[in-house]
Amino acid sequence: MSKPPTVTLRFSQAIVQASERLGVVLPPLLLAEFRSQTVRVPLSLQDRLWETINLTQSDPLIGLRMGLEIQVGHLDSAGLLLMSCDTLGSAVDALLEYFPIISEGCLLELAAEDERIRLRYFPSYDSCREIRAEAAIGCFVHLSRWMTGGRAVPTEVCLRHAPRAASGDYQALLGCRVRFGVDNYSLLYSKQDMDIPLIQANQALRNHLQQVASQMLASLSERGLSSQVEALVRHHPRWGKERIAYLLGMSGRHLTRRLAEEGSSFKLLRDTVLHRMAAERLRRGDRLLEVALELGFSDESAFAKAFRRWAGVSPARFREQAREECG
């Protein structure tokens, strides 16, 4: 069986420190649990941290503000590697390759659009997704700006959810246009921005850090592909194995073989992700037909049959149980 996903300790510590600077009071027991971590932090513990922040903080843009406070050193060896690259383009390439060091399961993808470059972010988590995705976007904006001495600023930021505050507040913080309710989380840069030199470029240091990062990435490889598949399924729940495999640069047969080596399968991963997504939407009260269509089912009946197989109860009964738990 593959291991549960983890997040680098330094990044988790940075979130804790940023939340405290912004006035969030974290429970002593939760802080003690974070302090007991020595190498990496389970994503489940990171979930609890964000749930606490979400419940105790009234600022709708708390995630974005926290992301804008993240420093390059908070991203472990991967962050230091980015800083030492020659240009923003080479730093983006390194980020794509070594991002699992920062957060397993989440996925980054680069796409060319005419004279522009779009960096897409696929989160692996369901808990507090909006504020966490905003934190990640804020982090990317801040780091690209800092590494280039303020020269690289995205021309556009896209968020999948509706604005949590006035759109002007987002633009003031990010320094660019922000679009909401689109089908991805992403940042759009000019292709020319990729040639901007980095202020801390250091080839010798980069060579050393690349070796360190490669070793860390190898130690995480057991979980790697499964996490990438889960992240892609979350953002493309209607897609089958072949289309997901295409995004990963391999055939469906190769994907099946690679997942088998990790003790998993595409069907198992897809069912697990769809089950979690369905449960989340049922808890928040979405209509059954909306959930069914979003997850790629032809109608409510097909969805209900699959959900009963996953959860052991009907969607209606699951929703009733969720209401009872909430009192």
Side-chain angles (χ1 to χ4, degrees):
M1 295 296 291
S2 57
K3 298 181 296 183
T6 60
V7 179
T8 180
L9 179 60
R10 287 280 291 141
F11 180 75
S12 297
Q13 292 171 336
I15 295 298
V16 170
Q17 293 164 5
S19 64
E20 292 177 332
R21 284 196 301 272
L22 292 170
V24 179
V25 179
L26 298 174
L29 288 177
L30 182 61
L31 288 173
E33 194 163 355
F34 267 94
R35 294 190 184 107
S36 70
Q37 305 300 314
T38 57
V39 182
R40 296 185 65 83
V41 175
L43 186 61
S44 56
L45 181 56
Q46 189 86 350
D47 288 345
R48 287 168 51 199
L49 171 63
W50 281 107
E51 287 162 4
T52 301
I53 293 170
N54 192 41
L55 287 173
T56 59
Q57 179 56 236
S58 59
D59 180 4
L61 297 181
I62 184 65
L64 188 58
R65 297 186 200 280
M66 291 170 67
L68 290 168
E69 293 208 4
I70 299 299
Q71 305 297 319
V72 67
H74 295 145
L75 305 184
D76 217 309
S77 60
L80 298 177
L81 172 60
L82 303 185
M83 178 184 70
S84 66
C85 289
D86 295 331
T87 64
L88 181 61
S90 59
V92 169
D93 289 340
L95 179 63
L96 293 173
E97 182 174 358
Y98 295 106
F99 191 68
I101 293 175
I102 303 167
S103 180
E104 289 182 278
C106 296
L107 185 68
L108 290 175
E109 175 184 281
L110 201 63
E113 300 181 5
D114 297 325
E115 293 303 312
R116 303 177 299 178
I117 294 290
R118 186 175 297 278
L119 181 65
R120 297 194 184 104
Y121 172 62
F122 300 92
S124 64
Y125 41 78
D126 294 314
S127 176
C128 305
R129 173 174 288 189
E130 293 183 5
I131 63 171
R132 292 167 79 173
E134 289 185 3
I137 293 295
C139 176
F140 296 146
V141 171
H142 172 68
L143 293 182
S144 65
R145 184 183 297 153
W146 181 85
M147 290 190 298
T148 60
R151 295 178 61 188
V153 178
T155 58
E156 176 182 278
V157 160
C158 291
L159 301 174
R160 294 190 69 183
H161 52 266
R164 297 170 54 84
S167 59
D169 293 341
Y170 281 89
Q171 293 177 15
L173 286 170
L174 293 171
C176 66
R177 176 191 179 196
V178 183
R179 293 174 56 206
F180 302 93
V182 295
D183 63 357
N184 61 75
Y185 291 106
S186 64
L187 302 91
L188 191 65
Y189 290 90
S190 164
K191 279 188 178 179
Q192 295 179 341
D193 286 344
M194 297 298 106
D195 296 326
I196 296 176
L198 302 193
I199 59 175
Q200 297 289 336
N202 186 320
Q203 186 63 47
L205 180 60
R206 178 187 179 186
N207 292 339
H208 169 70
L209 290 171
Q210 201 160 19
Q211 293 179 5
V212 174
S214 294
Q215 291 172 357
M216 293 185 69
L217 190 62
S219 70
L220 298 173
S221 61
E222 180 183 350
R223 178 70 189 176
L225 184 60
S226 296
S227 297
Q228 292 181 58
V229 169
E230 288 178 347
L232 286 171
V233 170
R234 281 188 183 90
H235 284 78
H236 305 288
R238 297 187 183 91
W239 288 12
K241 180 178 66 178
E242 294 298 331
R243 293 187 73 181
I244 296 295
Y246 176 78
L247 278 186
L248 293 168
M250 62 183 73
S251 67
R253 180 176 298 180
H254 189 196
L255 177 61
T256 297
R257 184 167 62 253
R258 288 280 305 280
L259 290 176
E261 292 171 357
E262 294 187 5
S264 188
S265 70
F266 181 79
K267 184 179 186 306
L268 174 62
L269 293 173
R270 186 171 187 271
D271 281 354
T272 299
V273 172
L274 294 188
H275 179 196
R276 290 173 184 165
M277 293 177 68
E280 178 186 5
R281 284 148 182 76
L282 291 173
R283 286 192 184 98
R284 72 187 187 194
D286 291 5
R287 294 173 53 227
L288 293 187
L289 181 58
E290 292 175 351
V291 179
L293 296 178
E294 180 185 353
L295 300 187
F297 293 92
S298 57
D299 53 37
E300 288 185 37
S301 176
F303 166 65
K305 182 178 180 181
F307 190 85
R308 186 183 293 275
R309 187 177 74 250
W310 299 331
V313 296
S314 68
R317 179 54 186 152
F318 177 85
R319 179 175 282 166
E320 291 174 4
Q321 292 174 343
R323 288 171 180 165
E324 292 169 0
E325 291 173 1
C326 292

